[in-house]
Amino acid sequence: MKLFEAAFPFADDVLALPVADIDNAAEYYAKAFGLTEIERHENPVPTVIMERDGTRIGFAVNGGDPTQDGAAIRVTDAQRAKDEFEANGVETGNWRVDERDGQKLQVFFVVAPDGLCYYFHQTID
């Protein structure tokens, strides 16, 4: 069953989130989030594009500050995502319900070892 629905960048580009090392990023996100590498480029900067359930997230050695970036990822089942990530050794935090534009969202956060922050969310009734 599909888990990832969409990804939205905090800053500029969800396909160019800043990292220091492409190989480390690809390895971490494959293990942690179950992403699969689908593209890799060296020019203009080293970049890897990864995907899960048709949702793409990319990482680039672009000089950006990862502690100031990340993505909001909409999932079909926040509890399933949290449980899966924790089983993969990922530390999750701030399990809570947010309200935005009259909608309630079950949310949690992951701060990856590279400093990028992820806001996982699911719309709830």
Side-chain angles (χ1 to χ4, degrees):
M1 182 182 159
K2 182 177 180 171
L3 183 62
F4 281 37
E5 287 189 313
F8 310 93
F10 289 161
D12 298 328
D13 188 352
V14 78
L15 296 179
L17 298 175
V19 295
D21 184 295
I22 284 297
D23 293 328
N24 286 347
E27 185 178 327
Y28 173 79
Y29 290 104
K31 179 179 182 280
F33 293 171
L35 298 173
T36 302
E37 182 175 326
I38 58 168
E39 288 179 42
R40 190 179 281 239
H41 308 281
E42 288 302 316
N43 292 313
V45 297
T47 304
V48 64
I49 307 296
M50 302 184 78
E51 178 181 69
R52 178 165 178 176
D53 302 324
T55 296
R56 292 180 173 202
I57 303 171
F59 306 94
V61 181
N62 56 19
D65 180 354
T67 65
Q68 300 300 310
D69 211 339
I73 300 174
R74 190 173 64 232
V75 293
T76 58
D77 185 334
Q79 184 67 60
R80 184 175 136 220
K82 182 178 182 292
D83 291 346
E84 179 185 309
F85 299 162
E86 289 174 350
N88 293 339
V90 175
E91 188 176 323
T92 65
N94 219 349
W95 179 261
R96 67 178 195 232
V97 174
D98 283 356
E99 194 164 326
R100 188 171 49 230
D101 300 327
Q103 287 190 314
K104 289 188 185 223
L105 306 171
Q106 180 65 62
V107 308
F108 69 94
F109 290 83
V110 171
V111 178
D114 54 29
L116 291 167
C117 180
Y118 297 91
Y119 174 84
F120 288 91
H121 62 285
Q122 169 194 1
T123 303
I124 55 177
D125 298 325

